[in-house]
Amino acid sequence: MNNWTQRWDDRYSNEEFAYGEEPNNFFKEEIEKLNAGTILLPAEGEGRNAVYAAKLGWKVAAFDISEEGKNKALKLAAANNVSIDYQVGELETLNYQAEQFDTIALIYAHFPAEIKSSIHKTLDKYLRQNGIIIFEAFSKKHLEYLALNDKVGGPKDIESLFSIEEIQADFSNYEIIQLEETEIELNEGLFHNGKGSVIRFVGKKK
């Protein structure tokens, strides 16, 4: 097992939910605007957003590299009387199909810097035409916030953080519904607490 996987297994192995059991606020707002369909949640951890989507009637697929994350997600799904299709592994090993999904939600899906753009481009293939991307993750400016308060969480290397320009480049074939860098107050479980700087993006695939 590599260090990256070990790190997330360790984080998710506690009884308490690392980022809470409630969905991310931005995800919740945006998913409620859409008609339920098929959704993919990459790097979904303990399943808080996947379970929320399932409760709204979505057919939910999720993946992560952490077996511990999956265990917690399935437990949360069972507690909420919903089912989710949750796979463990790296994206290229999973068997998603071209244009399988109506929506893909990337919520704090901070992949290692050297693969993050290629993952975005691979995910794009799995989204149908006119499908929606919902994205929230820490911006490069977030390092300033992290220096003041490490409880807000997020990667500590600038390459793993996002800029508006990177999102425009990775999702160049999208109509931009919303794209902004903004300061938010996070209150999500044990590891996202305090002010942070995020990129929020909602795009429609052309």
Side-chain angles (χ1 to χ4, degrees):
M1 185 188 294
N2 66 31
N3 291 343
W4 185 250
T5 308
Q6 185 67 57
R7 180 187 164 203
W8 292 106
D9 274 345
D10 289 347
R11 175 157 292 187
Y12 297 145
S13 62
N14 298 321
E15 183 129 345
E16 202 167 338
F17 279 69
Y19 301 104
E21 297 178 36
E22 296 302 315
N24 168 267
N25 287 337
F26 183 64
F27 172 74
K28 181 176 186 288
E29 276 169 31
E30 294 303 319
I31 197 79
E32 287 174 1
K33 296 175 186 174
L34 304 174
N35 294 323
T38 51
I39 185 169
L40 176 64
L41 292 118
E44 174 53 4
E46 298 167 317
R48 62 197 175 109
N49 298 307
V51 167
Y52 187 74
K55 285 166 73 175
L56 295 179
W58 288 77
K59 185 179 179 191
V60 178
F63 71 90
D64 201 283
I65 51 168
S66 169
E67 200 69 56
E68 295 285 352
K70 177 183 178 177
N71 293 341
K72 293 276 277 294
L74 295 182
K75 190 170 142 188
L76 187 62
N80 284 276
N81 298 312
V82 293
S83 64
I84 56 177
D85 169 25
Y86 195 120
Q87 297 189 53
V88 174
E90 310 226 341
L91 181 57
E92 62 274 14
T93 69
L94 307 176
N95 54 353
Y96 300 120
Q97 306 300 310
E99 302 189 3
Q100 183 177 341
F101 298 101
D102 299 313
T103 300
I104 295 177
L106 289 150
I107 306 298
Y108 297 97
H110 286 278
F111 295 99
E114 64 278 9
I115 60 169
K116 65 181 191 181
S117 273
S118 65
I119 284 185
H120 287 167
K121 289 176 176 139
T122 302
L123 288 170
D124 170 67
K125 296 174 194 160
Y126 303 142
L127 189 66
R128 67 167 173 79
Q129 191 177 3
N130 295 319
I132 299 288
I133 291 264
I134 301 169
F135 176 100
E136 179 174 286
F138 292 117
S139 78
K140 294 190 186 296
K141 195 174 167 188
H142 183 67
L143 286 181
E144 297 166 25
Y145 292 81
L146 201 50
L148 297 172
N149 169 27
D150 65 357
K151 290 187 173 59
V152 71
K156 294 182 167 63
D157 61 305
I158 199 155
E159 290 78 19
S160 295
L161 299 164
F162 294 97
S163 66
I164 282 177
E165 293 72 22
E166 282 175 349
I167 297 302
Q168 285 170 326
D170 286 356
F171 299 104
S172 58
N173 56 326
Y174 284 71
E175 175 196 332
I176 293 172
I177 297 167
Q178 179 180 351
L179 179 57
E180 62 173 355
E181 182 172 9
T182 188
E183 178 184 282
I184 65 167
E185 183 78 36
L186 281 159
N187 180 16
E188 298 185 328
L190 302 172
F191 293 101
H192 275 175
N193 291 287
K195 280 192 172 58
S197 177
V198 299
I199 304 285
R200 286 177 162 177
F201 168 57
V202 180
K204 184 177 184 180
K205 187 174 174 179
K206 293 178 183 171

